[in-house]
Amino acid sequence: MGIDADPSDLLPSAEPVRLLDETGTLREVDGFPLDLKEDDHRALYRWMVLSRRVDRQAINLQRQGQLGVYASLLGQEAAQVGSAYVLAEQDWAFPSYREMGVALVRGVDPASTLHLFRGTWFADYDPHRHNFGLPSIPIGTQALHAAGYAMAAKLDGRDLVTVAYFGDGATSEGDPHEAMNFAAVYDAACVFFVQNNQYAISVPLSKQTKAPTIAHKAIGYGMPGYRVDGNDVLATCAVMRKAVDRARNGGGPSLVEAVTYRMESHTTADDAARYRTDEELAQWRRRDPIARFEAFLNAEGLLDDRLREEIDAEAERLATRMREAVYDAPHGDPMELFDHVYVDPPARFAEQRDLLRRELGEGGAPATPAGGEREAS
Amino acid sequence: MAITLAQALNTALHDAMADDDRVVVFGEDVGTLGGVFRITDKLQQRFGEGRCFDTPLAESGIVGTAIGMALYGYKPVVEMQFDGFTYPAYEQIVSHLAKMRNRSRGTVQLPVVVRIPFGGGIGAVEHHSESPENYFAHTAGLKVVAPGTPADAYSLLRESIASPDPVIFFEPKRRYWLKEEADLPVRTEPIGRAVVRRQGTTATLYAYGPMVRTCLEAAQAAEAEGWDLEVVDLRSLNPLDTDTIVASAQKTGHALVVHEAQVFAGFGAEVAATVTERAFYSLEAPVLRVGGFDIPYPPAKLEEFFLPDVDRILDAVERSLAFS
Ligand SMILES: Cc1ncc(C[n+]2csc(CCOP(=O)(O)OP(=O)(O)O)c2C)c(N)n1
């Protein structure tokens, strides 16, 4: 941008954009039009209910010793579903490890994302089929992949937007900043979507940054920063719609900060009671994203008991399917460990394969299911 | 008193901070939470937020600012939350921490300790079980230390903090709960000295960190075969105690080096070369390396097939003995 453009245009609004208040009453906000039909409303509700249900199931599976560890999205359903919902089929999402809700909306079978946490494999889905990247545990690193993908699509003149998902803690790592800079320099169609769930494990946002908000950081890269109530699915849709449309129309990247809260511990291995208070939790419980949206739908007459029951039943089925797919799921043949490392494996792999085969004994891979016998980390 | 390796580390940090107010501890979640493994438990409570503090989530930032603080005169002890998250700091460690002393003709000292929980065997999700020690052992200017017992954990950490040279301190995370008798404060052999943990005559197992324990178990199991294995705990990869390594190989004539890391270009190659160069005429078999396969660390349910265990070690011992 030149010196004559007004840089304050890049700053976020003083308050997070919010369309639904805590009672679920809709108030439209200038500049963030809602272009949702009734079916969209129902779909958003359905995705949020499904997300919460599979999340709950995953937590239960971990408690039953079926998963080594699990990172819950509870409380972040609106942020995840709303942001993913506005994407077109050809668009790409690059997740961290907490994006089960985004995975669902992208059509990824939730069970396949759990192999990472069960420890039976890393990622058991084809990222190219769902345009949903591999989970990225090294914090913030995937932001660069999102920027690079968008740069490539631009070279090819393709209509395609990428979204980098990362957390408030990740904004302290170098990679997301390099990603934002690259995306801005190349006018790449990349949206940086930060779920500010207030904590990075035990570290609160106040120890992560002195910036007025995360969205303010955008101005440093010459891109707009938007701040949205991440527990308001309609606001998240509206703000993301704006950011995604802007990128799609050649306007370049932007940064969206969704203000939300991680209702569970960081992972099942963490104990949040060591660093945050019940009062804080109770305060956020009142802002529950699904309850708020449900109140809106009820008031608008968009949700009746039959639909609610239908969705609940679907959620049950999905959770049951997920449980069946994961429960006691065996690990594959250990010999597979050598199969995907290279297209052209080095010669020494033959010797190492022989050693492992001998260790496994005559019968080849042990058929023992791997369920629940190992301590979680 | 019986203490765990984790308690020994916690006490070492505590005692070092009590003895020297220039010792500061920082990293991700080390303050309020006391670290994800509680190695820094209660340090913030005891010494205040100035001396034990949570940093923003940035490993390069943590090591880079530790360098700045050390230049000023502090003795930072920083934590990398897990082995696999050390890599963002690699630049600061390799290009600056390791080199500043040499670049300044010795005028600059960087008494920084980088603590890294390393290795697998705890069923963790990916990036939490790696053994990156050789990246650092290969880097001139760093000391690389890896205790395998609670007493060594205490003593080596105290010595590392006192060291005027930077130390990469690898903590065997699957042995955090390993309990042994140790009266703290304890002083064991210094950095750079290997220790024979078990005397034997049939063959020598060299190990460090988590594999020391596994090798001792293998030696015990080997008794049933009539083998009397010697176990050498290297304790420090750089400097490396060539004398102890060579003396043991000369004694047994069969040398095997064991680590979790992939064998290809792993630390075992250094030990093998050392033994071959200096004990060649004593050897009755080539030095064998026992380690992980040359693949990325596997998912948790498959790690047992990757990690060296008693069987893999004894199988290698058998191959070594078959040469003579
Ligand atoms: C490079 C790196 N350093 C440290 C960690 C350990 N770790 C895992 S999650 C986490 C906190 C992440 O916080 P945030 O980015 O806010 O995302 P959230 O987990 O809250 O969704 C940390 C420090 C890691 N995974 N990667």
Side-chain angles (χ1 to χ4, degrees):
Chain A
M1 61 188 282
I3 193 89
D4 28 289
D6 181 359
S8 65
D9 287 349
L10 302 177
L11 290 175
S13 47
E15 289 299 318
V17 176
R18 170 188 276 192
L19 302 186
L20 291 178
D21 69 15
E22 285 182 17
T23 65
T25 310
L26 179 69
R27 267 187 218 92
E28 303 230 14
V29 174
D30 270 359
F32 297 95
L34 256 187
D35 59 352
L36 299 175
K37 310 209 170 44
E38 292 191 352
D39 277 352
D40 294 313
H41 287 117
R42 294 194 187 99
L44 287 169
Y45 176 75
R46 172 174 165 269
W47 286 124
M48 287 203 287
V49 171
L50 298 185
S51 300
R52 180 165 293 186
R53 185 63 189 93
V54 292
D55 185 71
R56 168 59 44 197
Q57 184 72 295
I59 292 173
N60 290 342
L61 284 165
Q62 196 282 332
R63 300 225 164 101
Q64 293 158 10
Q66 291 291 321
L67 305 179
V69 69
Y70 176 71
S72 168
L73 60 74
L74 189 71
Q76 300 177 215
E77 294 87 349
Q80 295 200 4
V81 167
S83 60
Y85 191 76
V86 302
L87 298 184
E89 197 177 337
Q90 74 273 20
D91 296 340
W92 267 72
F94 288 81
S96 76
Y97 42 80
R98 203 184 289 287
E99 270 74 67
M100 174 83 97
V102 181
L104 266 184
V105 178
R106 296 305 296 175
V108 179
D109 174 5
S112 68
T113 67
L114 288 188
H115 287 283
L116 173 72
F117 295 116
R118 179 161 171 80
T120 32
W121 201 255
F122 303 107
D124 217 22
Y125 53 87
D126 175 1
H128 288 283
R129 209 179 123 206
H130 304 285
N131 295 2
F132 183 72
L134 297 180
S136 185
I137 291 179
I139 299 297
T141 48
Q142 70 277 15
L144 282 160
H145 312 157
Y149 201 99
M151 286 161 62
K154 189 178 173 197
L155 278 181
D156 267 3
R158 280 190 60 200
D159 161 25
L160 184 156
V161 177
T162 66
V163 180
Y165 284 88
F166 50 96
D168 43 293
T171 64
S172 294
E173 290 278 15
D175 280 6
H177 296 283
E178 296 180 20
M180 289 191 271
N181 193 45
F182 270 62
V185 165
Y186 293 103
D187 275 325
C190 181
V191 177
F192 298 91
F193 186 76
V194 178
Q195 288 170 81
N196 171 8
N197 66 7
Q198 312 302 329
Y199 287 89
I201 308 187
S202 71
V203 180
L205 184 66
S206 58
K207 288 194 190 163
Q208 211 65 249
T209 180
K210 286 282 187 193
T213 73
I214 289 172
H216 276 81
K217 291 177 187 250
I219 193 173
Y221 304 101
M223 64 169 85
Y226 303 109
R227 203 150 180 264
V228 61
D229 180 340
N231 284 20
D232 174 350
V233 72
L234 295 184
T236 305
C237 277
V239 172
M240 273 301 276
R241 164 69 64 215
K242 182 166 183 136
V244 166
D245 283 354
R246 183 174 189 279
R248 204 181 297 290
N249 299 329
S254 45
L255 170 61
V256 176
E257 174 189 3
V259 182
T260 180
Y261 195 79
R262 191 195 77 210
M263 297 302 290
E264 284 284 344
S265 287
H266 170 69
T267 65
T268 48
D270 174 44
D271 174 13
R274 285 179 74 106
Y275 51 82
R276 59 186 199 186
T277 63
D278 288 345
E279 294 78 69
E280 188 179 291
L281 203 61
Q283 200 187 336
W284 280 93
R285 199 168 285 123
R286 283 197 294 277
R287 299 181 202 162
D288 182 75
I290 296 185
R292 191 193 302 186
F293 193 48
E294 211 173 315
F296 164 76
L297 294 177
N298 285 334
E300 297 289 312
L302 290 170
L303 186 64
D304 56 25
D305 285 348
R306 227 192 72 209
L307 183 59
R308 200 190 325 261
E309 278 160 26
E310 244 174 65
I311 292 173
D312 285 348
E314 186 190 357
E316 274 318 299
R317 285 196 303 276
L318 188 60
T320 306
R321 262 215 330 271
M322 190 174 89
R323 181 187 166 79
E324 280 163 1
V326 172
Y327 204 93
D328 279 352
H331 56 67
D333 182 352
M335 296 306 297
E336 191 193 352
L337 290 174
F338 292 99
D339 289 353
H340 318 292
V341 186
Y342 297 96
V343 175
D344 283 323
R348 65 179 184 278
F349 270 31
E351 222 175 279
Q352 299 192 3
R353 279 195 169 106
D354 283 346
L355 173 58
L356 180 56
R357 205 171 287 121
R358 261 189 294 125
E359 288 182 353
L360 295 172
E362 285 300 302
T368 47
E373 75 234 11
R374 198 179 290 268
E375 281 290 297
S377 71
Chain B
M1 204 176 74
I3 55 155
T4 65
L5 198 146
Q7 284 167 336
L9 292 167
N10 178 250
T11 310
L13 290 171
H14 175 277
D15 293 357
M17 293 176 87
D19 282 2
D20 182 350
D21 61 14
R22 296 270 131 178
V23 176
V24 287
V25 169
F26 55 96
E28 294 155 12
D29 304 282
V30 301
T32 313
L33 190 65
V36 293
F37 289 108
R38 310 289 186 258
I39 304 301
T40 56
D41 196 29
K42 306 228 158 49
L43 297 180
Q44 184 173 76
Q45 258 160 282
R46 166 78 208 282
F47 298 102
E49 286 204 39
R51 297 197 47 213
C52 176
F53 52 92
D54 290 327
T55 64
L57 205 179
E59 292 76 12
S60 178
I62 291 166
V63 174
T65 56
I67 291 171
M69 290 186 74
L71 278 170
Y72 178 92
Y74 275 91
K75 295 179 182 167
V77 183
V78 298
E79 178 174 300
M80 300 286 102
Q81 200 160 73
F82 282 90
D83 33 56
F85 307 136
T86 304
Y87 310 129
Y90 197 63
E91 156 88 340
Q92 287 292 340
I93 294 174
V94 173
S95 298
H96 297 298
L97 189 62
K99 293 193 173 94
M100 269 195 195
R101 179 179 166 77
N102 186 57
R103 290 170 61 221
S104 66
R105 291 204 161 90
T107 52
V108 165
Q109 295 204 347
L110 294 178
V112 173
V113 179
V114 182
R115 295 180 36 245
I116 307 176
F118 86 121
I122 64 161
V125 72
E126 62 177 329
H127 310 291
H128 292 71
S129 302
E130 310 203 342
S131 294
E133 63 273 19
N134 218 34
Y135 300 145
F136 303 99
H138 189 69
T139 300
L142 302 174
K143 290 184 182 176
V144 179
V145 173
T149 68
D152 263 358
Y154 180 90
S155 184
L156 291 175
L157 184 51
R158 289 298 308 268
E159 194 188 341
S160 297
I161 296 169
S163 163
D165 285 322
V167 178
I168 311 298
F169 192 87
F170 282 101
E171 302 174 358
K173 76 168 84 79
R174 73 153 117 169
R175 306 293 180 212
Y176 272 149
W177 304 276
L178 173 75
K179 226 175 191 172
E180 273 179 20
E181 288 299 320
D183 280 317
L184 304 186
V186 64
R187 189 89 196 169
T188 61
E189 294 74 6
I191 291 175
R193 193 82 65 71
V195 167
V196 179
R197 293 275 172 228
R198 186 187 192 279
Q199 297 277 351
T201 54
T202 312
T204 303
L205 303 178
Y206 301 100
Y208 51 88
M211 281 293 118
V212 172
R213 177 64 175 227
T214 308
C215 285
L216 288 169
E217 286 164 10
Q220 198 164 23
E223 287 174 10
E225 307 284 335
W227 300 334
D228 180 20
L229 301 185
E230 180 144 306
V231 177
V232 175
D233 179 354
L234 299 177
R235 303 169 75 252
S236 141
L237 308 189
N238 190 6
L240 186 63
D241 184 354
T242 313
D243 290 348
T244 304
I245 290 172
V246 170
S248 182
Q250 283 169 339
K251 175 173 145 189
T252 64
H254 291 270
L256 299 96
V257 52
V258 183
H259 52 54
E260 288 188 13
Q262 305 91 288
V263 289
F264 188 76
F267 194 73
E270 185 57 40
V271 176
T274 301
V275 172
T276 309
E277 284 166 7
R278 295 173 195 239
F280 186 69
Y281 290 108
S282 308
L283 289 179
E284 295 179 40
V287 184
L288 297 184
R289 290 170 289 168
V290 182
F293 300 115
D294 296 330
I295 58 176
Y297 196 88
K301 295 288 185 204
L302 289 160
E303 69 180 345
E304 65 176 294
F305 304 108
F306 170 90
L307 289 169
D309 59 5
V310 168
D311 287 342
R312 190 176 297 168
I313 294 168
L314 294 186
D315 176 71
V317 171
E318 192 175 354
R319 275 186 284 133
S320 174
L321 296 179
F323 278 92
S324 53

